[in-house]
């Protein structure tokens, strides 16, 4: 596929979402305000350290006449960064990662590390295909684990937030996206099972993946649009304004739909009222803006899904015959996106429990993503470049 655009996608994930918003330079302008906000709105930070791997208690949402009042059960460092927490009160990285969910994530990242080494040295042999099979399997398992988390409330913040920045929603996004790129890696690989090449299967799965890739851009745009609307927080109390804030309504639907799958996180609704969503915090605005840029380049996988939707196995067989390394390249680049996504979600969970502020966590995991994705992607271009097509194969 567009290998150059995949490189841009991964660079954007690292730089725009992770490095720039929480860089020391950016923090200089906001650190004092964040500390004041943390001191005024959060209880003692020691509450966060205890049982941070356990499902959190459901918060209560109380609606007043013209404003919303949200009572947070515990501090949530996805809402406000953990800059103000003393280092001796933070959970350790070992404690933060000592849970079944992150053990699976670390295993996937380790497999990605080995595959990155193979790509760097240009070893595309039988062992590489076996690693590819393991990575794809772990990718599907990771997607399933996200859904189990949402259903059980395990390690999911109970703090209801707006749109894509809600913890349950971002986990659902990671689940769908990991599943989509895992399918694309499997469908385009040398190890694709025969039943996946059936035309009906291609139509169904390709259509589903197109929706996921496009939604990666639409969801954060809706979140930001809902936050800037003057109707926003009063929409539930003003029946005449129904339909006036479509972005806010869609964000309500998004959060309610995902949260409805949770055993403990069902949102209380009366009549036709949707959950009242708090405005975005300063940290959440930065996260949502970063996700917009990720979505812009995340859509580069859409042409592949469209091609499988229209051409199916007949088209892909022609491409594979004309460009003998195309299967290897397509599958590898899809897995690079999977490794970057998994690394980002590890950073998400580590930052959520306050192991370190994002200005410390993000550059470290950016380096991990660079080693897992950018370097092997460039090396794959070097080793396979003579036997692949970057643009013309879409028309073959």
């Amino acid at each position: 596929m567009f290998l150059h655009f995949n490189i841009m996608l991964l660079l954007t994930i690292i730089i725009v979402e992770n490095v720039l918003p929480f860089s020391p330079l950016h923090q200089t302008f906001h650190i004092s305000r964040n500390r004041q906000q943390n001191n005024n709105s959060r209880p003692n930070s020691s509450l966060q350290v205890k049982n941070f791997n356990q499902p959190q208690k459901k918060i209560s949402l109380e609606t007043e006449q013209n404003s919303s009042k949200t009572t947070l059960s515990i501090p949530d460092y996805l809402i406000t960064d953990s800059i103000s927490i003393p280092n001796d009160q933070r959970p350790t990285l070992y404690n933060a990662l000592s849970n079944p969910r992150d053990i699976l994530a670390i295993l996937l990242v380790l497999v990605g590390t080995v595959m990155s080494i193979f790509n760097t040295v240009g070893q595309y042999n039988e062992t590489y295909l076996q690693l590819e099979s393991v990575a794809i399997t772990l990718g599907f398992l990771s997607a399933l684990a996200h859904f189990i988390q949402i259903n059980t409330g395990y390690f999911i913040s109970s703090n209801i937030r707006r749109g894509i920045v809600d913890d349950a929603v971002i986990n659902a996004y990671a689940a769908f996206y990991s599943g989509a790129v895992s399918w694309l890696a499997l469908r385009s690989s040398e190890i694709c099972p025969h039943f996946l090449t059936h035309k009906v299967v291609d139509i169904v799965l390709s259509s589903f993946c197109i929706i996921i890739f496009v939604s990666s851009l639409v969801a954060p745009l809706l979140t930001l649009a809902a936050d800037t609307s003057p109707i926003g927080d009063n929409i539930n109390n003003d029946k005449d304004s129904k339909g006036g804030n479509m972005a806010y309504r869609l964000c309500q639907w998004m959060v309610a739909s995902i949260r409805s799958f949770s055993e403990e996180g069902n949102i209380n609704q009366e009549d036709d009222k949707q959950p009242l969503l708090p405005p975005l915090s300063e940290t959440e605005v930065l996260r949502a803006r970063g996700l917009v840029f990720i979505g812009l380049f995340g859509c580069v996988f859409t042409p592949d899904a469209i091609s499988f939707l229209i051409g199916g196995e007949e088209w892909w067989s022609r491409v594979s015959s004309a460009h003998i390394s195309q299967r290897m390249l397509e599958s590898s680049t899809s897995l690079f996106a999977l490794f970057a996504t998994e690394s980002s979600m590890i950073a998400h969970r580590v930052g959520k429990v306050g192991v370190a502020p994002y200005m410390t966590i993000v550059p470290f995991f950016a380096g991990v993503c660079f080693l897992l994705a950018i370097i092997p992607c460039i090396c794959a271009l070097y080793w396979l470049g003579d036997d692949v097509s970057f643009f013309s194969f879409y028309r073959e």
Side-chain angles (χ1 to χ4, degrees):
M1 65 173 301
F2 298 118
L3 185 58
H4 295 95
F5 284 102
N6 275 294
I7 297 175
M8 294 173 65
L9 163 65
L10 297 168
L11 284 172
T12 303
I13 294 176
I14 293 171
I15 297 174
V16 179
E17 161 70 352
N18 294 331
V19 177
L20 294 183
F22 301 102
S23 65
L25 179 61
H26 191 285
Q27 290 290 338
T28 301
F29 295 97
H30 298 287
I31 186 170
S32 60
R33 181 177 177 182
N34 283 343
R35 282 176 173 169
Q36 182 179 2
Q37 182 181 6
N38 293 343
N39 292 334
N40 293 337
S41 64
R42 290 209 295 259
N44 192 312
S45 60
S46 62
L47 295 176
Q48 175 67 21
V49 180
K50 300 178 181 179
N51 298 326
F52 57 86
N53 277 340
Q54 299 300 319
Q56 302 172 14
K57 294 181 180 180
K58 184 179 178 182
I59 66 171
S60 60
L61 296 178
E62 303 177 27
T63 304
E64 298 178 347
Q65 183 174 1
N66 291 318
S67 63
S68 62
K69 181 180 179 181
T70 304
T71 303
L72 303 183
S73 58
I74 62 173
D76 191 336
Y77 303 119
L78 296 175
I79 302 175
T80 55
D81 201 0
S82 61
I83 298 174
S84 63
I85 301 181
N87 288 334
D88 60 353
Q89 294 186 19
R90 296 180 182 276
T92 65
L93 180 63
Y94 174 80
N95 288 336
L97 299 179
S98 298
N99 60 83
R101 180 64 191 92
D102 281 304
I103 291 175
L104 173 62
I106 292 172
L107 181 59
L108 177 55
V109 170
L110 289 176
V111 173
T113 301
V114 178
M115 291 188 65
S116 297
I117 295 174
F118 273 66
N119 272 278
T120 301
V121 299
Q123 292 296 314
Y124 301 102
N125 49 28
E126 187 65 29
T127 302
Y128 185 85
L129 291 178
Q130 293 174 355
L131 289 170
E132 192 176 70
S133 177
V134 172
I136 292 171
T137 301
L138 291 175
F140 285 122
L141 288 177
S142 179
L144 178 61
H146 280 296
F147 288 123
I148 294 175
Q149 280 186 265
I150 296 170
N151 178 253
T152 61
Y154 180 75
F155 216 176
I156 299 292
S157 172
S158 59
N159 299 325
I160 310 298
R161 305 305 297 174
R162 183 169 298 193
I164 191 67
V165 300
D166 182 85
D167 196 24
V169 176
I170 195 65
N171 273 272
Y173 163 77
F176 286 122
Y177 195 83
S178 296
V181 293
S182 295
W183 166 81
L184 186 58
L186 180 60
R187 180 64 184 87
S188 57
S189 70
E190 301 280 356
I191 58 175
C192 179
H194 180 71
F195 76 91
L196 282 182
T197 65
H198 194 279
K199 185 174 182 61
V200 174
V201 177
D202 267 334
I203 291 175
V204 173
L205 295 182
S206 297
S207 301
F208 186 65
C209 290
I210 290 170
I211 295 173
I212 294 172
F213 296 142
V214 173
S215 296
S216 66
L217 174 60
V218 173
L221 286 175
L222 286 175
T223 301
L224 290 172
D227 196 55
T228 57
S229 171
I231 300 175
D233 304 316
N234 299 323
I235 192 169
N236 280 337
N237 302 313
D238 183 3
K239 293 186 177 181
D240 294 333
S241 67
K242 289 184 178 179
N245 188 342
M246 183 59 68
Y248 184 83
R249 286 292 187 187
L250 289 172
C251 283
Q252 288 182 309
W253 171 82
M254 187 190 311
V255 174
S257 298
I258 299 300
R259 291 274 180 177
S260 67
F261 288 99
S262 174
E263 294 177 350
E264 300 181 357
N266 291 330
I267 300 173
N268 293 328
Q269 300 180 15
E270 298 179 3
D271 301 327
D272 59 345
K273 293 182 179 180
Q274 293 289 337
L276 196 62
L277 305 179
L280 297 180
S281 68
E282 201 170 73
T283 299
E284 290 173 326
V285 170
L286 293 173
R287 290 171 54 209
R289 288 174 179 171
L291 287 169
V292 170
F293 286 92
I294 290 176
L296 282 171
F297 296 102
C299 290
V300 300
F301 290 101
T302 306
D304 292 75
I306 293 176
S307 297
F308 278 114
L309 173 65
I310 298 175
E313 180 61 22
E314 183 179 350
W315 162 77
W316 190 233
S317 295
R318 291 197 305 270
V319 171
S320 302
S321 298
H323 311 284
I324 59 175
S325 296
Q326 198 72 36
R327 288 183 181 270
M328 188 68 68
L329 182 64
E330 294 296 316
S331 183
S332 296
T333 52
S334 299
L335 289 175
F336 297 154
L338 173 64
F339 302 148
T341 301
E342 198 68 30
S343 298
S344 295
M345 289 307 295
I346 293 176
H348 170 90
R349 291 187 290 270
V350 167
K352 177 168 63 176
V353 299
V355 171
Y358 285 106
M359 62 188 298
T360 301
I361 294 173
V362 169
F364 175 79
F365 279 96
V368 172
C369 289
F370 187 82
L371 294 175
L372 288 178
I374 303 302
I375 291 180
C377 196
I378 295 173
C379 292
L381 174 63
Y382 173 79
W383 295 112
L384 304 176
D386 293 337
D387 299 316
V388 299
S389 168
F390 299 119
F391 302 102
S392 62
F393 75 97
Y394 288 112
R395 302 188 300 268
E396 294 178 357

